[in-house]
Each structure stands twice: as C-alpha cells, then as structure tokens.
Amino acid sequence: MGLAITDAATHHRVRDAVADHLNRGDLLVATEYTLPSGRRADVIAWGMTGLVTIVEVRTRRRDSDLSEAMSKYGDWCDLLYLATPRPWLLPGRRPPAPSYGWATARAVGILTVTRDLVALDRPALHRTRTPARGALLGSLRRPPAAER
C-alpha cells in the first residue's frame, strides 16, 4: 500500500528535515537505508562511538503504532525514534496505544517536525545491544567484495 502524493511529499519533507538535523553533529547519516533484514530505515545515523540511531517517519496518526516500529527496527539500533509532521503527544496526552508491550513502545522516542524544525517530544530509551546491531556495524566496516 503506497502513500498518496501529498503523504509522500510530507514524508520526504519530514525525512529530509530529520536527516539534516542529525547531520549537524558528528554523525554519519543516510536516508532510505536498507538493513540486512531487507527493511528500509527512513533515516539511520551512526555515531563515532558506534551508537546507531534509526528514525521511522510516519505521516498519518493511524500509522503511528510504536510497537510495530520497535519490532521492525529495534534489533538494529541503540536508539529508535518516530518522526511525525504534527505534535501528536501534547502535554497530558498518552502516546498512541501499542499493539503489544507498553514497555517496548515506551522505548521509542518521538520527534515532531514543523517546517524544517525538529523538536524532541519524548527521548528514546537506550536499548541493550543486540547481535543484529553488531552484524550491521560489522557490515559497515567490511569493504565491498569488489575492493577485497
């Protein structure tokens, strides 16, 4: 199921704003990066210390299932964020209900992008390092087969 034209334009705007924001630090940033699992991360950033951050962009509230994002990307990163074009988590409101595991969904941080400004609505919880994340970092350090 693809995005409507306006959703696609909003998705690209939010993705690019987040990538530009992350690119201001000492991070290597990529957009639409295909993970070894075959899933594509909207934005991924690697820190000099090996910290891996993935940002999933969601343009519609009904697509904002935090636990779904965690199940797709959680094993591949230390920090996971959901970026949205609207402030979905206003003061005093609960985050969207996860389909399973409230503790899992609470680990996902929330970023709100208005125009080109990125605001942190809720920080991500640092996750335990996983074998999948180690494999991802290992694949980044190996030269492509053509260079070996």
Side-chain angles (χ1 to χ4, degrees), residues 94-117:
R94 292 180 60 112
S99 58
Y100 71 91
W102 172 242
T104 300
R106 282 186 29 190
V108 180
I110 307 289
L111 301 171
T112 299
V113 178
T114 49
R115 295 192 181 107
D116 292 333
L117 300 174

Side-chain angles (χ1 to χ4, degrees), residues 43-138:
V43 180
I44 188 167
W46 297 272
M48 299 300 283
T49 61
L51 186 77
V52 178
T53 301
I54 291 180
V55 180
E56 172 72 356
V57 175
R58 298 293 171 94
T59 58
R60 296 176 292 185
R61 187 175 179 100
R62 67 178 176 262
D63 295 335
S64 64
D65 186 348
L66 302 177
S67 57
E68 178 192 358
M70 194 63 151
S71 68
K72 287 181 181 179
Y73 304 108
D75 288 342
W76 300 102
C77 60
D78 298 298
L79 299 170
L80 178 62
Y81 288 92
L82 192 74
T84 71
R86 291 166 206 90
W88 289 346
L89 293 180
L90 300 174
R93 291 177 71 193
R94 292 180 60 112
S99 58
Y100 71 91
W102 172 242
T104 300
R106 282 186 29 190
V108 180
I110 307 289
L111 301 171
T112 299
V113 178
T114 49
R115 295 192 181 107
D116 292 333
L117 300 174
V118 179
L120 177 64
D121 284 348
R122 182 174 76 193
L125 301 178
H126 194 277
R127 294 190 30 88
T128 305
R129 298 206 167 164
T130 64
R133 186 200 153 280
L136 173 64
L137 288 175

Side-chain angles (χ1 to χ4, degrees), residues 27-42:
L27 300 172
L28 174 63
V29 179
T31 59
E32 303 300 331
Y33 183 86
T34 303
L35 299 167
S37 65
R39 298 246 183 232
R40 186 178 300 160
D42 292 325

